[in-house]
């Protein structure tokens, strides 16, 4: 009886345990489930530019912790030499006219975490471009001046006056194009302004990397770091190829000879033998025409009461103020900054006048006076301050050209007077050269191939004339070309033998005699196998060949959707884009326009439209390829027409 009871108990346990094991096996996730889970986690952390920025780029540049896809492991990457959470701050203030009446830029130049440079734009911003701004008469699109972002050697951010054709992606902002545009689109306005500044900054110093941008109200701030070159100098070795592109061929050869990895590959079976490569290059004549204005050469700020013309490229600046008898005579100063010293022809103090005394000063040094008695010292002039005689003038010219061309120069007028006469002034005359400046250079990217004995010229076209084809000269040669360079008053005509040569070289690469791969087994399998039977031929170690045949089937695949469902939306916008002829919306019957967007639909087939967007096409397999082709063809034909009709008008 006891034995039977034990056997029954064991059988019962076995019966109860079997379903539990089966349930445990069913609970184990399959390979597909694990793959889907890993793909979902990876997509969540890397599926968009914002996700990459927040999960990897920003932490990597700012010294924060980066975690793996599953979030279980973290590490701190050292991708930068210096980092700052306050690289740049840009604050704007829109005015009643719609213009940005104030734009202030704070910059941390030495990456110590605090701002050490402040830039306040000297002009209101009426329009914004990808690389600059447009300043017009407030509230209008009249009297517009064009400025591009510039950064000097000390990383000071400024504006440099330029032409409209040098700017890109411009649009109007003030009331001439619509009401309340700046306030209604403040995040986009800040990103466009800040993007232009950051672009100029990173171009001037390639080491600078921007990790993150944050918009708070009317301010955008950037987190930055210094990367690539951990030296005191901002030059990065790779950037020198921009000014001297032919150096890259010689440098590449030198590095290849010193690289053990390259030599190992060159000496391998794959690197032996000979082959021919076709390499394209060009020889181009680059011509730049710069138009100069007076304000491009000398910048003036301070106590200038009157500016008059004294002829072509000549201005007179009057520095005037009232005097005082009962206290220390005040000094009225104006600062003259030479933006292009080589174009300053002369700078002279041509007149001093006062009732009673005026003293002219240059960079704090006394250089002349006008008055009843001499006044060439710091002490007050002798005599009565309330002189009733006529005013006194001194028109003996004082040359200060050397001071102004050497650097920033401060010209001051120290005035003493009282009673009926209490004024004094100093007049500075500046003459400059605003003639057009033309420069050209020939950029030869073919010199390396031309000097290589393993390369031969295969084809060449000079200004679209084919002079060499299939290694044989055609006998054709282009006539000298005359082209108009520059615009406006600086449009010049240049006649040259050529402007662009496009060449193709055939270069012999010595690769030895690599062994041909044995593809006989692959051919056997492909020719003799079916969807259900796999036939193979295997070579054994003793040289004999064994043929095999076995059943074969592909694993069942999950059904795949015909496409990834997407939807199309649109959002109303004002056509405020600007070009040389003015604001686009003002040239159309209506300034109403639309921005189109495409969104990936959610798992439950819902279109995630943004604020202000209306759905044009619901979720589905949308095919807008004909529309895309039409737009690309329109752009191509417009570009071709511009090329054909460009020239002096």
């Amino acid at each position: 009886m006891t034995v039977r009871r034990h056997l029954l108990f064991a059988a019962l346990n076995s019966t109860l345990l079997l379903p539990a094991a089966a349930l445990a096996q069913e609970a184990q996730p399959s390979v597909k489930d694990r793959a889907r889970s890993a793909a979902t986690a990876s997509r969540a952390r890397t599926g968009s530019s914002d996700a990459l920025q927040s999960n990897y780029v920003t932490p990597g540049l700012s010294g924060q912790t980066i975690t793996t896809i599953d979030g279980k492991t973290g590490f701190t990457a050292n991708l930068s030499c210096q980092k700052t959470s306050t690289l740049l701050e840009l604050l704007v203030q829109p005015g009643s006219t719609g213009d940005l009446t104030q734009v202030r830029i704070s910059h941390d130049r030495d990456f110590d975490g605090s701002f050490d440079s402040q830039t306040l734009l000297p002009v209101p911003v009426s329009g914004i471009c990808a690389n600059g701004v447009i300043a017009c008469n407030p509230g209008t699109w009249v009297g517009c001046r064009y400025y591009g972002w510039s950064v000097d050697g000390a990383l000071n951010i400024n504006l440099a006056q330029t032409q409209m054709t040098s700017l890109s992606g411009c649009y109007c902002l003030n009331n001439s194009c619509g009401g309340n545009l700046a306030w209604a689109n403040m995040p986009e306005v800040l990103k466009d302004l800040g993007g232009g500044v950051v672009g100029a900054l990173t171009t001037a110093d390639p080491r600078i990397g921007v990790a993150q941008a944050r918009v708070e109200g009317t301010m955008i701030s950037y987190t930055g770091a210094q990367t690539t070159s951990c030296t005191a100098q901002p030059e990065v070795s790779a950037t020198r190829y921009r000014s001297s592109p032919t150096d890259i061929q010689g440098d590449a050869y030198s590095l290849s000879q010193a690289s053990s990895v390259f030599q190992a590959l060159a000496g391998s079976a794959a690197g032996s033998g000979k082959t021919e490569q076709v390499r394209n290059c060009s020889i181009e004549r680059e011509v730049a025409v710069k138009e100069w204005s007076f304000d491009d050469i000398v910048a003036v700020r301070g106590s200038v009461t009157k500016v008059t013309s004294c002829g072509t490229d000549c201005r007179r600046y009057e520095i005037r103020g009232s005097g005082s008898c009962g206290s220390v005579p005040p000094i009225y100063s104006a600062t003259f900054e030479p933006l292009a010293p080589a174009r300053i022809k002369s700078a002279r103090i041509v007149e001093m006048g006062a009732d009673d005394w005026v003293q002219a000063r240059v960079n704090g040094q006394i250089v002349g006076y006008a008055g009843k008695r001499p006044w060439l010292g710091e002490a007050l002039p002798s005599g009565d301050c309330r002189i009733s005689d006529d005013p006194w003038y001194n028109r003996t010219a004082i040359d200060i050209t050397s001071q102004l061309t050497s650097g920033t120069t401060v010209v001051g007028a120290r005035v003493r007077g009282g009673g009926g006469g209490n004024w004094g002034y100093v007049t500075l005359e500046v003459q400059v050269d605003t003639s057009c400046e033309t420069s050209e250079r020939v950029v030869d990217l073919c010199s390396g191939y031309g000097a290589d004995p393993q390369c031969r010229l295969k084809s060449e076209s000079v200004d679209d004339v084919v002079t060499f084809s299939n290694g044989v000269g055609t006998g054709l040669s282009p006539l000298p070309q005359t082209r108009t360079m520059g615009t406006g008053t600086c449009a010049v005509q240049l006649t040259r033998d050529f402007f662009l040569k496009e060449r193709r070289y055939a270069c012999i690469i010595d690769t030895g005699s690599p062994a041909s791969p044995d593809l006989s087994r692959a051919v056997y399998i492909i020719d003799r196998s079916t969807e259900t039977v796999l036939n193979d031929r295997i070579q054994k170690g003793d040289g004999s060949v064994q043929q095999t045949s076995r059943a074969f089937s592909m694993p069942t695949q999950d059904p795949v959707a015909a496409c990834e469902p997407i939807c199309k939306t649109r959002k109303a916008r004002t056509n405020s884009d600007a070009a040389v002829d003015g604001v686009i919306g003002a040239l159309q019957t209506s300034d109403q326009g639309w921005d189109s967007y495409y969104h990936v639909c959610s798992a439950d087939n819902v279109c995630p439209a943004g604020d202000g967007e209306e759905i044009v096409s619901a979720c589905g397999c949308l095919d807008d390829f004909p529309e895309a082709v039409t737009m690309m063809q329109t752009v191509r034909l417009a570009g071709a027409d511009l090329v054909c009709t460009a020239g002096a008008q």
Side-chain angles (χ1 to χ4, degrees):
M1 184 68 180
T2 303
V3 174
R4 292 180 60 191
R5 187 175 300 161
H6 284 179
L7 291 173
L8 181 61
F9 183 74
L12 182 60
N13 280 345
S14 300
T15 304
L16 292 175
L17 287 174
L18 282 174
L23 289 175
Q25 185 175 2
E26 292 178 1
Q28 184 70 23
S30 64
V31 174
K32 290 183 180 179
D33 293 335
R34 294 200 300 272
R36 290 194 182 98
S37 177
T40 302
S42 176
R43 190 180 298 113
R45 297 184 65 83
T46 63
S48 66
S49 58
D50 291 338
L52 282 171
Q53 184 87 5
S54 60
N55 293 325
Y56 297 104
V57 177
T58 298
L61 288 178
S62 57
Q64 302 172 5
T65 301
I66 300 176
T67 60
T68 54
I69 296 296
D70 57 7
K72 297 179 180 179
T73 305
F75 62 93
T76 302
N78 187 18
L79 302 180
S80 59
C81 308
Q82 301 181 77
K83 56 188 72 71
T84 175
S85 60
T86 56
L87 172 66
L88 201 72
E89 279 188 1
L90 189 146
L91 178 68
V92 303
Q93 178 60 53
S96 59
T97 59
D99 305 86
L100 301 182
T101 56
Q102 186 181 76
V103 177
R104 189 184 69 198
I105 304 171
S106 304
H107 181 203
D108 179 8
R109 294 180 298 178
D110 53 7
F111 294 89
D112 63 352
S114 61
F115 296 125
D116 47 40
S117 174
Q118 298 279 344
T119 300
L120 184 65
L121 297 195
V123 294
V125 175
S126 309
I128 299 176
C129 305
N131 56 341
V133 298
I134 302 175
C136 307
N137 296 340
T140 71
W141 204 254
V142 178
C144 297
R145 287 96 57 206
Y146 309 101
Y147 300 89
W149 295 111
S150 66
V151 178
D152 60 18
L155 296 184
N156 293 311
I157 302 169
N158 295 293
L159 287 177
Q161 193 161 359
T162 184
Q163 300 175 358
M164 177 64 171
T165 53
S166 300
L167 303 177
S168 60
C170 302
Y171 60 88
C172 174
L173 192 69
N174 62 19
N175 290 348
S176 67
C177 310
N180 207 31
L181 293 179
W183 285 112
N185 302 278
M186 184 57 67
E188 289 77 13
V189 168
L190 290 172
K191 291 177 182 178
D192 292 340
L193 272 175
V197 176
V198 169
L201 189 62
T202 54
T203 300
D205 189 345
R207 300 174 303 171
I208 297 176
V210 176
Q212 187 179 25
R214 300 182 303 277
V215 175
E216 299 177 2
T218 60
M219 182 181 70
I220 185 170
S221 58
Y222 293 89
T223 300
Q226 176 182 314
T227 63
T228 306
S229 174
C230 302
T231 64
Q233 299 299 324
E235 291 83 5
V236 181
S237 59
T239 62
R240 65 185 178 89
Y241 297 127
R242 181 180 182 184
S243 58
S244 183
T246 56
D247 291 348
I248 195 171
Q249 298 177 29
D251 292 350
Y253 178 78
S254 300
L255 289 175
S256 67
Q257 298 304 303
S259 172
S260 58
V261 175
F262 182 88
Q263 295 301 323
L265 291 174
S268 65
S272 61
K274 289 186 177 181
T275 186
E276 184 177 83
Q277 292 182 349
V278 176
R279 298 171 180 174
N280 299 326
C281 61
S282 65
I283 304 174
E284 185 174 6
R285 188 183 307 275
E286 294 184 350
V287 180
V289 181
K290 180 174 178 57
E291 182 178 356
W292 290 90
S293 67
F294 202 105
D295 294 327
D296 294 332
I297 300 171
V298 179
V300 184
R301 63 182 184 274
S303 301
V304 175
T305 56
K306 184 168 64 175
V307 180
T308 58
S309 174
C310 48
T312 304
D313 297 338
C314 180
R315 287 183 185 176
R316 288 186 175 179
Y317 299 90
E318 183 180 281
I319 305 164
R320 175 186 286 268
S322 58
S324 174
C325 283
S327 59
V328 177
I331 299 176
Y332 302 90
S333 300
T335 302
F336 296 82
E337 182 178 353
L339 304 179
R343 286 186 167 264
I344 298 176
K345 298 169 65 176
S346 68
R348 304 182 305 158
I349 296 176
V350 296
E351 185 176 78
M352 293 170 278
D355 189 356
D356 299 322
W357 281 279
V358 66
Q359 190 181 74
R361 294 179 171 226
V362 177
N363 292 332
Q365 300 295 319
I366 302 170
V367 297
Y369 75 96
K372 186 174 182 179
R373 283 179 290 277
W375 188 19
L376 294 173
E378 297 294 337
L380 299 180
S382 62
D384 187 5
C385 182
R386 302 176 181 271
I387 298 176
S388 60
D389 295 334
D390 294 333
W392 302 89
Y393 298 95
N394 183 349
R395 296 184 176 89
T396 302
I398 302 173
D399 194 332
I400 64 167
T401 305
S402 61
Q403 290 95 318
L404 183 55
T405 56
S406 299
T408 302
T409 303
V410 179
V411 179
R414 189 183 185 195
V415 182
R416 185 169 188 256
N422 64 343
W423 53 267
Y425 69 88
V426 172
T427 301
L428 178 67
E429 178 185 280
V430 180
Q431 291 185 337
V432 300
D433 177 14
T434 60
S435 60
C436 301
E437 180 181 345
T438 303
S439 61
E440 65 177 277
R441 68 167 184 166
V442 176
V443 179
D444 186 356
L445 301 180
C446 299
S447 60
Y449 302 137
D452 190 343
Q454 300 299 322
C455 296
R456 61 181 178 87
L457 182 61
K458 188 173 183 180
S459 63
E460 178 190 63
S461 65
V462 181
D463 293 333
D464 295 329
V465 176
V466 178
T467 60
F468 221 78
S469 179
N470 294 324
V472 179
T474 62
L476 302 176
S477 59
L479 297 174
Q481 300 286 314
T482 299
R483 296 188 180 181
T484 301
M485 304 293 180
T487 59
T489 59
C490 278
V492 297
Q493 287 191 335
L494 296 179
T495 301
R496 298 292 184 267
D497 294 337
F498 76 93
F499 284 90
L500 176 63
K501 294 182 180 181
E502 295 178 306
R503 291 179 175 176
R504 300 182 70 190
Y505 283 89
C507 299
I508 301 298
I509 307 299
D510 189 358
T511 59
S513 301
S516 300
D518 183 6
L519 302 178
S520 59
R521 182 185 178 192
V523 173
Y524 182 90
I525 295 174
I526 294 174
D527 291 345
R528 291 170 174 77
S529 299
T530 66
E531 295 180 357
T532 58
V533 177
L534 176 63
N535 294 311
D536 195 0
R537 185 175 66 181
I538 303 173
Q539 184 174 6
K540 296 183 177 181
D542 58 2
S544 61
V545 176
Q546 178 184 3
Q547 297 179 354
T548 63
S549 180
R550 61 185 178 85
F552 173 78
S553 64
M554 293 289 293
T556 303
Q557 300 295 315
D558 292 340
V560 179
C563 69
E564 184 178 35
I566 61 173
C567 60
K568 181 180 180 180
T569 65
R570 69 176 186 176
K571 184 177 182 180
R573 67 182 291 266
T574 301
N575 289 333
S576 60
D577 298 335
V580 176
D581 290 336
V583 180
I584 303 300
L587 305 177
Q588 299 175 328
T589 56
S590 173
D591 62 357
Q592 175 68 49
W594 300 91
D595 285 333
S596 296
Y597 304 92
Y598 290 89
H599 301 283
V600 177
C601 296
S602 61
D604 53 354
N605 216 34
V606 175
C607 180
D611 294 338
E613 297 179 22
E614 60 180 75
I615 298 177
V616 177
S617 300
C619 293
C621 297
L622 304 185
D623 181 11
D624 286 349
F625 184 74
E627 181 181 350
V629 171
T630 301
M631 289 189 292
M632 289 188 291
Q633 182 75 342
T634 302
V635 173
R636 186 187 71 82
L637 293 176
D641 182 64
L642 288 174
V643 171
C644 293
T645 60
Q649 300 295 324

